[in-house]
Every structure is written in structure tokens, then in C-alpha cells.
Amino acid sequence: MTEDKEYMQTAAQANQGTVVSIRGSVIDARFSSGSLPDIGNVLLAGDDSRTRIEVMVQLNAETVRGISLMPTQGLARGSTITDTGQPFMIPVGKGLLGRVFNVFGEPIDNIEAPQTVETRSIRGVHVPITQQSTESEIFDTGIKAVDILCPLERGGKAGLFGGAGVGKTVLLTEMIHNMVGHHHGISIFCGVGERCREGEELYREMKEAGVLPNTVMVFGQMNEPPGARFRVGHTGLTMAEYFRDDERQDVLLLIDNIFRFIQAGQEVSGLMGLLPSRLGYQPTLASDLAALEERICNTTTGAITSIQAVYVPADDFTDPSASHTFSHLTASIVLSRKRASEGFYPAIDLLQSGSKMLMPTIAGERHYRIAQEIRKNLTVYEELKDIIAMLGINELSREDQRTVYRARRLERFFTQPFYVTQQFIGKEGKVVALQDALDGCERILNDEFADYPESSLYMIGTIDEAVKEDSK
């Protein structure tokens, strides 16, 4: 492979040291003759010099400590270790399209390695603020609840927050399906610490949908060492930066799951012997996350739009991993277990979700007004739920009753059949344009559907389908 040849050629000219200790993935090496490797350099060890280790700390004038990104079986004290003199380099180029790679940029789809012309360090440089675009544009997804109440930003970062089993991966997969269909850029899917099964299923689904030729997939799965899971996000981002900066294309970067990136950093921190911070997280949590997130931005020539699934431990949104991620996002899509149990899919919490794009100057006066009116009705309904449960809806004033009926119809209108779940629910998936979704919400707010049964608005696309359903 091209990458391995480069490593070996570099290693031949580099200085060599000796392994002095091995503790799991942590390896200490002494370089008594020659120069001490820099932090971030790659060390090669093992019989065939295949085991790759990233230098994390310089312990003294002769010794460095590193984390292995590969299993360390077969390594022993006294083994020779070689400094390549450079950080991790991965291949970039158009030849990556339609392929699946690991953290090192090696193909894992049983197809011959692509003939790339260039390799780049995964420690990319941040785009200077003078070169970043200052325009704010909305990025349509075709999902009603997202586009109206928490619109995404082109070149921004959106988070899908939720506990286990509330539908983060399903929603992310639906967004890939919807956006790749009418999105003329490149999609890069980055699987960080997720299940191998999910990656294989996603690969087959994208192949069947015909969107794989414009997609690159990078995986660092649960069964891999923490060092590999910690760096796979940087690998995917480096590939995305090539398409944005060199090919001048818009890139959709999907990360599933950003919590697993933080978790891998926590494991690496523990292995390195650093004192844990709040709730056992690494003391460098904020800087680790910022080093990844701040490279995701839009320039005057192209944009990287990122959608990130964020697992929320025990549904606790005050957890440091969730609260630190919030600060980097322009849109937050919160998934609710309660809504999922009530059968509202996608199970988006319509009141907790929000976006910095939802301002009259960006989204438009009409969109902003409708969204605020929706929130007002839903908030009143939420406050009245206890009274309804105890005394019944007939005890409310006429105006409050109208508000409750309106809110219940809005909740059902925000459900939507997905393409990725049509084999389970038996309904064809729908993509709804923003204007159609706004028209539907406005008509519900104007009480045009007060006489229609609530069920006619459940699991439909545009509002016209409710009219057809009722006329049957």
C-alpha cells in the first residue's frame, strides 16, 4: 500500500529506540541515541513494523510515552521501535469516493486500495477566521420538525441528542437519504465507536439507494483500541477538508457518535495516567472536543456541514459530554423517549430542540412567526396537561380548548414516515419541502383542520394528504 511504503521509507531514515514497558495500549520507549520524537509523531514497532503508536508525552530527555492504535500482542520489552518523524498521514483524493476505510485510510471493503496521489496529516490546520464565510444559509433536510423548529446551517454543526434506543441513527440515516438525493456535494460518514453491524447495514443501504458513489465511509468501531476510536474523527475530517479546499465542493460530514469520541478520549486519558475531572471525564475534554469541532466550518469556496449524533448518558443533559458539545452547535435536535413511547416518530422534542438560524433576518419573517406560534401553542398545551389529566379537557376555557386541539394536531403533523423504516411501518417515506411544511403548519394554526380527526394528520407528508385521507 502507498501509505505503508511511505512510512517504511521514512522509517529507514529515522532514529530507532527500544521498548521499555508495555501496559495495555500504553507503550514507553527510550531513544538513547538520536533525537527524541515529537508529540504526535508515529512510531512503528513489531516484527513487521506494522504496529503504529502515537507519541502522547515526552517523559524525559530520552523517553516518550505513546498510545498504540493497534493491538499490542507480540510486542515485548527490548523490541526495536522506529520514529517515522511525522504524524499520521492518510490518503486523500477523488479515488476515496464510494469506499470504506479504517482510521489509517486503509480500505476495509475487500476492494483493492485506491490509487491516491496525496497523503495528508490528520492534524489539519484550522481555517483562519479571515477565510471563513460570514453568510448564514439554511440547509434543508426534508424533515418537517427539523426544518421548521430547528433548521440546520450550511457550514454549521447540528447535534442529535438522545439516550439509547430513541432513534438517533435512524434519523441520521434518513438525513443521508434525503440530502444525498438533492445535495450535489460529497457525503462523508464517520462511525466513531459504534457497532460493526450498523456500519455494514448502512453500507448496504447506501449502495442500494445509489448514493455510495458520492460518499466516503470511515469507521473506528467498538472492537478497536481507544487510540483508533479517538483519531477516526480526525481522519474523516481530513478527507472532508480535501474536498472542501481542493475540490471546492460542499461536504456533508455525518458523525455517529460524538459521545464515543469523548469516551475514547476518556479511556486514553486514563491509560496515560491523567487525573480524572468531573464524573471521571478527562481533564482535557473541552480542548479535545474543540480541536475536532473548530475545524468544521465553511469558507468562501466550500462548506463542511456536520450532523453529529450525541448519546446522552442516562438521558442526563447536564452530563459534561453533552453540555460541552452543546456549546459548539448551531442547531440542537433533542430526541425524547417520552415522545417515542407515545408513537410520535421522529421522536423530536419540539420544545427542547432549537437553532440559532431561527431568526427573522436568516429564516425569514414568515418562518420565524410560524415557529414562534407553534412553540406558544405547544407550551400552553404542556402546561395544561396536568389539569386535563385531573379534571378533563371540558373544564378548560373555550380558548384553551382550541389551543390544546391545535397543539395535538401540530404534534401529529410533525410525525413523518421515513424511507429507511418503510419496510417496518408499511408506509412509503416522504420528503417535505420547507414551504409545504410551513403552509401545513399555518393552516393548522388558522384552525382550518379543527373539524378533521387528529389521526388524519398522523404519519403524512404534506397537509394535502390529510384532506385526501379525510375524503375517503
Side-chain angles (χ1 to χ4, degrees):
M1 290 178 59
T2 311
E3 184 190 358
D4 287 332
K5 287 177 184 173
E6 287 186 15
Y7 271 133
M8 300 310 291
Q9 286 167 5
T10 312
Q13 306 158 4
N15 59 322
Q16 294 187 326
T18 307
V19 174
V20 292
S21 78
I22 304 168
R23 298 185 310 282
S25 295
V26 181
I27 294 172
D28 290 357
R30 179 179 291 118
F31 290 80
S32 49
S33 59
S35 59
L36 195 67
D38 292 332
I39 291 174
N41 276 13
V42 177
L43 309 180
L44 301 179
D47 296 334
D48 53 357
S49 292
R50 283 280 297 155
T51 304
R52 299 172 195 176
I53 300 142
E54 182 177 12
V55 176
M56 304 295 284
V57 182
Q58 294 175 333
L59 296 176
N60 54 45
E62 290 188 349
T63 313
V64 294
R65 177 169 292 166
I67 286 281
S68 176
L69 275 72
M70 305 173 78
T72 55
Q73 285 91 342
L75 283 184
R77 289 178 62 187
S79 299
T80 301
I81 192 165
T82 307
D83 174 25
T84 62
Q86 61 182 2
F88 275 108
M89 307 294 287
I90 60 152
V92 294
K94 285 186 174 180
L96 305 183
L97 293 172
R99 303 297 305 276
V100 187
F101 299 94
N102 63 10
V103 65
F104 307 112
E106 299 169 346
I108 53 174
D109 51 6
N110 297 322
I111 305 174
E112 191 178 340
Q115 297 300 311
T116 51
V117 292
E118 188 181 351
T119 57
R120 287 190 183 174
S121 166
I122 62 169
R123 293 173 174 262
V125 292
H126 297 283
V127 178
I129 198 163
T130 52
Q131 294 177 22
Q132 294 184 21
S133 174
T134 55
E135 293 182 9
S136 295
E137 297 175 45
I138 286 182
F139 195 83
D140 291 342
T141 65
I143 298 169
K144 292 178 287 190
V146 174
D147 288 345
I148 291 178
L149 294 175
C150 41
L152 310 188
E153 180 190 13
R154 176 182 173 270
K157 297 178 275 284
L160 293 177
F161 290 84
V166 293
K168 294 185 301 297
T169 303
V170 170
L171 189 55
L172 202 65
T173 311
E174 182 70 8
M175 285 182 174
I176 294 172
H177 182 280
N178 290 0
M179 283 187 260
V180 173
H182 65 261
H183 174 72
H184 302 297
I186 302 298
S187 292
I188 294 181
F189 182 89
C190 202
V192 185
E194 285 298 292
R195 301 168 187 85
C196 306
R197 168 187 58 78
E198 289 180 345
E200 194 271 337
E201 285 176 0
L202 184 65
Y203 176 75
R204 278 192 287 107
E205 285 170 8
M206 296 181 80
K207 198 170 185 177
E208 288 167 11
V211 298
L212 198 60
N214 285 328
T215 306
V216 183
M217 304 179 81
V218 189
F219 289 104
Q221 298 295 273
M222 279 182 174
N223 60 325
E224 298 189 30
R229 284 182 272 124
F230 185 59
R231 286 296 177 215
V232 71
H234 297 89
T235 298
L237 188 50
T238 304
M239 293 175 177
E241 286 170 338
Y242 166 83
F243 288 107
R244 180 194 65 191
D245 300 335
D246 291 42
E247 299 294 332
R248 296 173 179 264
Q249 288 180 294
D250 282 359
V251 182
L252 183 63
L253 177 65
L254 303 124
I255 302 175
D256 187 7
N257 184 303
I258 207 73
F259 170 77
R260 304 292 177 203
F261 165 77
I262 293 170
Q263 194 177 45
Q266 181 183 9
E267 291 177 47
V268 168
S269 174
L271 289 168
M272 296 303 294
L274 299 179
L275 284 173
S277 181
R278 191 157 67 100
L279 295 185
Y281 285 101
Q282 64 269 41
T284 55
L285 190 157
S287 57
D288 287 348
L289 192 59
L292 181 75
E293 298 280 10
E294 288 177 6
R295 287 168 62 185
I296 302 172
C297 64
N298 58 342
T299 65
T300 51
T301 57
I304 298 177
T305 303
S306 176
I307 301 172
Q308 307 166 6
V310 187
Y311 167 69
V312 181
D315 292 343
D316 178 16
F317 284 88
T318 63
D319 188 89
S321 64
S323 57
H324 275 85
T325 307
F326 264 121
S327 61
H328 291 280
L329 304 174
T330 50
S332 302
I333 303 166
V334 180
L335 298 177
S336 161
R337 195 176 303 280
K338 183 172 178 289
R339 282 184 64 79
S341 66
E342 291 170 352
F344 294 123
Y345 290 101
I348 295 171
D349 190 314
L350 302 172
L351 290 174
Q352 278 202 56
S353 303
S355 170
K356 294 174 184 174
M357 295 290 99
L358 200 54
M359 296 189 289
T361 51
I362 299 172
E365 191 65 46
R366 178 176 179 246
H367 185 165
Y368 176 76
R369 176 177 52 78
I370 291 171
Q372 292 302 100
E373 195 65 28
I374 291 167
R375 285 187 187 283
K376 179 182 169 185
N377 280 270
L378 292 172
T379 304
V380 172
Y381 177 41
E382 199 64 36
E383 290 168 354
L384 294 172
K385 275 184 177 177
D386 288 342
I387 297 173
I388 295 168
M390 288 187 291
L391 303 175
I393 198 166
N394 293 327
E395 295 300 314
L396 300 177
S397 68
R398 187 65 59 84
E399 183 56 40
D400 282 346
Q401 284 185 33
R402 277 200 294 266
T403 302
V404 168
Y405 292 140
R406 219 178 286 139
R408 287 175 63 86
R409 280 165 174 75
L410 284 167
E411 281 187 334
R412 280 149 183 79
F413 182 61
F414 280 128
T415 61
Q416 188 169 338
F418 281 177
Y419 282 95
V420 297
T421 59
Q422 61 187 21
Q423 60 179 325
F424 305 112
I425 65 173
K427 284 193 175 185
E428 188 184 349
K430 307 283 184 184
V431 176
V432 183
L434 176 59
Q435 288 308 314
D436 291 337
L438 287 171
D439 289 342
C441 291
E442 193 168 40
R443 290 173 69 182
I444 293 170
L445 290 169
N446 291 336
D447 289 334
E448 283 186 40
F449 290 84
D451 297 329
Y452 283 66
E454 292 174 358
S455 58
S456 66
L457 294 161
Y458 181 70
M459 280 292 171
I460 60 170
T462 61
I463 199 75
D464 294 333
E465 292 178 36
V467 180
K468 292 175 187 172
E469 187 73 27
D470 191 60
S471 63
K472 286 181 182 178

